[in-house]
Amino acid sequence: MPLLLLFWGGSVQAMREQIDLGYSRLYVLDATPRDFGAEYIRVYIVDGGEQAVAVVETGPASVAESVAKAVAEIANGRQVEIILTHVHIDHGGGAGRVAGLLTEQGLQVAIWAHPRGAPHIVNPSKLWKASNEALGETALVYGEPEPAPSSAVHETRDGMELCLGQARLRIIHTPGHASHHQSILLEPAVGQGERILFPGDSAGMYDPSSQGLAPTTPPPLRLDMYRESLRRMIDEKPDRIAFTHIGLGPAQLLETHRWQVDIWEETVREALARGLDPEKTLEAILDRDPYTARLYQRLGGTPHGRRMILNSVLGFMDYVQRMQGSY
């Protein structure tokens, strides 16, 4: 598993890790804007050795130039299939710009997204407005998405497959974090081999260095759908999980996250009954959940990282309050 450290300048420090799966190569890029303050976003490139490469996520618009440069180098003239887990601007905000830069270099590019998310890639104005309202200054760090031509944007179907020579990518619609969320399973097209799941934001965020894990659940969270999506991914029995936030981890993290979601919901219900505000609710979660506590040590020291974890708390609080109001 050779590791290459490359620096292309601009707003991102791009780390490339090359993993040989036998039937394909998997490249891992750091696509975190420098101003974020901590490594937070990964882009994955799948090279099955044939006529096309796949890019899982593009990261935000502010790092599009660096990501496009890395993709073009690996693609080496081949077609590029961009697959977004969802269109939130830290995952797919750079899709339009990356596609445009690659097209300028003569590459054929297709962008694949959930049917509910695809229109926001073509016209991201509503997405950008909502992102500013939800994320504040963090949205400015990510940058404003550029529109992609409608001819380049394609809708996925649950269960559809994209074949890249020896590699196959299967789409699994996994709503809950967002209605337009999907996950991707990388597996050999023929025979045996390690299977990698790209869960986007449907299985939390994981830091390999601290082994910290926490939900990524901003409002409006549908926790019932989130749990069902998590069950579907567990049933797939992947070998490893390639988290967009922040790296690769073992498959058992899916079960750990299922336990974690129960702890969060129970803690939030108790906190709301006591009249605690989001900050105090976060403190209560940190006291009960060692995985979140580890991740908070990693991200909580930066204003943008702390905002991401607090937004997850707000999502749980909003969900519980809506459920209580429906009785």
Side-chain angles (χ1 to χ4, degrees), residues 45-62:
I45 304 174
V46 178
D47 184 355
E50 296 292 336
Q51 69 275 12
V53 299
V55 181
V56 179
E57 317 283 46
T58 61
S62 60

Side-chain angles (χ1 to χ4, degrees), residues 6-33:
L6 302 180
F7 302 90
W8 288 304
S11 58
V12 65
Q13 174 177 301
M15 181 253 332
R16 183 190 304 174
E17 180 181 355
Q18 178 182 321
I19 302 171
D20 189 352
L21 298 172
Y23 62 92
S24 68
R25 291 183 183 274
L26 179 64
Y27 297 86
V28 188
L29 307 181
D30 176 20
T32 312

Side-chain angles (χ1 to χ4, degrees), residues 209-225:
S209 63
S210 66
Q211 297 184 5
L213 177 72
T216 46
T217 50
L221 168 66
R222 283 294 305 270
L223 192 55
D224 52 344
M225 290 183 176

